[in-house]
Amino acid sequence: MALDGGAGGAWGGVMGALAYAALAVAALRLVLSYKSAAHALRRAWRWADERAQAYQYYEVPRLAADGAENPLFRKAAAYVSSLPSLEDADAACVVSSAAKSNDFALQLGAGHAARDAFLGARLEWTNAAGGGRLVLRVRRHDRTRVLRPYLQHVESVADEMEARRRELRIYANTGAGKGGSGATRWASAPFTHPATLDTVAMDPELKARVRADLEGFLKGRVYYHRLGRVWRRSYLLYGAPGTGKSTFAAAMARFLGYDVYEVDLSRAASGEDDLRALLLDTAPRSLILVEDLDRYLRAGDGETAAARTARVLGFMDGISSCCGEERVMVFTMSGGKDGVDPAVLRPGRLDVHIHFTMCDFEGFKALASNYLGLKDHKLYPQVEEGFQGGARLSPAELGEIMIANRGSPSRALRTVISALQHVAPPPPPAAAARPPRLTSRWSGHLDYASAASDATAAGQSSPRAGGGGGFGKDAPIREFKKLYGLIKYRSRKEAGVVPVDDSAASPNGRASEASSDKDRAGDS
């Protein structure tokens, strides 16, 4: 009997020890997993808060009363699948895309809920059992203020998602319609160009500025309409052949999710297509690409340069161009802007100018990282020496060398070194010529067109220049600074001190160029 009591006490002690150990482990896990503890506290607080509120429920059925599909249900389902809170939901369905591999998405499962916030109000979507309807829950005191704007927001986001997911197409003008009707025709094909803003080898700062400008355009419908302007943006991509202008235009279309309409200006010159009719035949959410603009503007085929310029000006911002909104127009030029009529380059016709230059060593390293996966190599000093000698190669030339030798990075770099040795450096500029514009790294620079620059290009006085005579009110100060700088330079030269070129320290050379422009304005 005593043995039985002792055994029972020992067994009870073991069980008690196990219970204490389990509690200790649970407490330790709770302490270590502070996120779980915070989540549990949030859920408890939410549960208590929900019980203290009054709610209004709105059902969004899949089918309307007449049996037709309810468009709002499809858009609401797409919107809910994009909510970040769906990843934190208690349960969700994972689906994959039949069109793309490794493309997974979350969907709200039957009986599950996902939360959202809008204008300071908390909302919740629930997938009712059976999957035939979605239920939106709104606090009763928020329903009048929030419901209609929120549903409009849901439809807008869903439309944007659908537009980005759809297959992009590229269109090309193929001449007038059959039967002499004069109706223009577009031939189309799937737009499969793989270029994106992330994969384009470009100066990161310049790429970020272009991306921000495109994002501002996408969100600017209300702003443009408030100003009474057509919701349209235009870009000029100019630079030597092979510097990546067409690839960048494709990356812009991919980023915007816009179809591409490539306009062949030679057909307009031969009378096969009317540029205004072509523009009217394009659809919203499109990027209109016109390549080699400078080549077209030159006289040819019995047509004067003035006639071609007038046709292009009407295409850019004539009355007919106002009939189409939500469009981006991209023009490319293989040369500089010096020989182009300033009326073509002014704001409203070409808003943003992006200069694409030949590669230097920084550009080469970016391409080598993309094409060969190299961050550094023992042959880099020799490559850098070739670029420092003034030789330049286009991104297309470097890319072809790296593709052909992608199996051996060393052989690719030796080929680049050999190519640089056979490229003659550019001749030094003449003494009376304007110094070349310094660019940000190798990828060029971005200029917002300005009326002042257009007036200067046209030989007119800048609005900032003040009164007649070509001098502004700060001209005497500028002349004094120039004189002081000359005296300072001579004194340093006599003392054996070499002055430092400030333009070399500038990342893009804009400050030095601006000062040189001001000095030239003062000399005029």
Side-chain angles (χ1 to χ4, degrees):
M1 191 72 180
L3 290 174
D4 292 341
W11 179 253
V14 171
M15 293 300 294
L18 291 175
Y20 282 120
L23 290 175
V25 170
L28 179 62
R29 181 179 178 184
L30 187 63
V31 171
L32 295 178
S33 181
Y34 63 92
K35 291 185 178 180
S36 297
H39 179 68
L41 290 175
R42 284 198 302 269
R43 292 191 61 179
W45 172 258
R46 190 181 301 131
W47 180 88
D49 182 61
E50 289 178 353
R51 294 301 181 275
Q53 297 291 336
Y55 294 96
Q56 186 77 27
Y57 295 87
Y58 299 92
E59 293 188 2
V60 182
R62 182 188 296 271
L63 301 177
D66 56 356
E69 181 185 6
N70 182 11
L72 181 58
F73 178 87
R74 175 174 50 84
K75 295 180 179 181
Y79 175 82
V80 172
S81 65
S82 68
L83 290 177
S85 62
L86 196 59
E87 299 180 359
D88 299 329
D90 296 336
C93 299
V94 182
V95 296
S96 62
S97 173
K100 298 181 181 179
S101 59
N102 298 324
D103 186 14
F104 304 100
L106 294 178
Q107 291 184 355
L108 197 61
H112 301 150
R115 293 176 175 83
D116 194 12
F118 182 77
L119 297 180
R122 288 184 295 179
L123 308 100
E124 183 179 85
W125 288 97
T126 303
N127 187 359
R133 55 193 175 91
L134 292 172
V135 179
L136 174 63
R137 190 185 72 176
V138 187
R139 288 185 178 182
R140 189 176 293 274
H141 64 272
D142 290 331
R143 68 184 188 278
T144 304
R145 177 179 64 91
V146 168
L147 180 61
R148 185 174 295 274
Y150 179 68
L151 293 179
Q152 293 173 350
H153 168 72
V154 169
E155 286 195 331
S156 176
V157 173
D159 289 340
E160 184 177 351
M161 293 171 56
E162 183 177 357
R164 288 183 176 274
R165 281 198 304 264
R166 69 184 178 89
E167 180 188 54
L168 302 182
R169 302 191 67 82
I170 181 170
Y171 296 81
N173 55 313
T174 58
K178 295 181 180 180
S181 63
T184 56
R185 292 189 312 184
W186 291 97
S188 68
F191 182 69
T192 58
H193 200 296
T196 65
L197 290 183
D198 294 328
T199 59
V200 168
M202 175 178 278
D203 185 283
E205 181 181 354
L206 175 62
K207 188 188 302 185
R209 294 175 64 188
V210 176
R211 185 192 299 269
D213 191 80
L214 292 173
E215 289 177 344
F217 169 77
L218 285 174
K219 302 174 182 177
R221 178 196 294 270
V222 176
Y223 179 73
Y224 275 75
H225 287 182
R226 182 168 61 85
L227 295 177
R229 297 189 56 173
V230 180
W231 188 23
R232 189 184 63 227
R233 193 77 168 151
S234 56
Y235 297 82
L236 171 64
L237 316 181
Y238 68 101
T243 50
K245 301 182 293 296
S246 299
T247 300
F248 190 75
M252 293 173 66
R254 183 71 62 184
F255 175 79
L256 294 167
Y258 283 10
D259 292 327
V260 178
Y261 286 81
E262 186 174 8
V263 179
D264 184 0
L265 291 177
S266 63
R267 294 187 177 277
S270 60
E272 295 184 41
D273 274 337
D274 179 30
L275 288 179
R276 292 172 297 179
L278 282 174
L279 186 61
L280 292 174
D281 204 24
T282 60
R285 301 183 64 85
S286 60
L287 183 145
I288 301 171
L289 176 62
V290 178
E291 299 210 63
D292 297 324
L293 176 63
D294 52 341
R295 184 178 303 175
Y296 170 76
L297 291 176
R298 303 190 191 104
D301 298 330
E303 192 175 24
T304 64
R308 293 194 172 192
T309 301
R311 184 182 293 111
V312 168
L313 294 180
F315 175 72
M316 284 180 165
D317 67 345
I319 295 297
S320 58
S321 67
C322 301
C323 299
E325 282 202 323
E326 203 170 359
R327 288 167 173 81
V328 168
M329 304 183 74
V330 178
F331 298 83
T332 70
M333 295 196 310
S334 298
K337 299 186 293 183
D338 295 336
V340 180
D341 191 332
V344 177
L345 304 176
R346 73 160 177 81
R349 290 182 176 134
L350 290 173
D351 303 316
V352 182
H353 300 183
I354 307 176
H355 186 199
F356 289 76
T357 63
M358 305 291 277
C359 278
D360 59 7
F361 184 60
E362 293 295 328
F364 159 78
K365 289 194 298 183
L367 291 174
S369 176
N370 290 345
Y371 282 81
L372 304 175
L374 294 178
K375 299 300 181 183
D376 199 0
H377 196 275
K378 62 182 180 181
L379 294 177
Y380 269 20
Q382 298 183 42
V383 178
E384 184 176 11
E385 182 179 355
F387 281 111
Q388 288 179 347
R392 293 290 184 268
L393 294 173
S394 70
E397 293 172 312
L398 289 173
E400 184 58 34
I401 291 175
M402 295 176 185
I403 290 176
N405 300 277
R406 59 185 179 273
S408 174
S410 298
R411 185 170 65 246
L413 297 187
R414 287 193 293 267
T415 306
V416 171
I417 294 172
S418 176
L420 288 172
Q421 293 173 349
H422 289 83
V423 174
R434 178 177 178 176
R437 178 185 292 272
L438 300 178
T439 60
S440 173
R441 283 189 174 180
W442 66 277
S443 54
H445 59 267
L446 181 148
D447 298 329
Y448 291 90
S450 64
S453 62
D454 290 338
T456 304
Q460 304 171 1
S461 60
S462 172
R464 298 181 181 180
F471 290 94
K473 59 183 179 181
D474 57 343
I477 300 178
R478 188 187 307 116
E479 295 298 323
F480 175 77
K481 289 182 178 179
K482 288 175 57 181
L483 179 61
Y484 173 75
L486 181 62
I487 297 174
K488 188 176 182 179
Y489 173 80
R490 288 180 177 175
S491 62
R492 288 188 176 185
K493 186 174 180 181
E494 293 174 358
V497 179
V498 180
V500 178
D501 185 7
D502 294 335
S503 64
S506 175
N508 54 13
R510 288 193 173 191
S512 59
E513 186 191 5
S515 62
S516 63
D517 288 342
K518 290 182 179 180
D519 294 341
R520 285 192 296 274
D523 294 336
S524 60

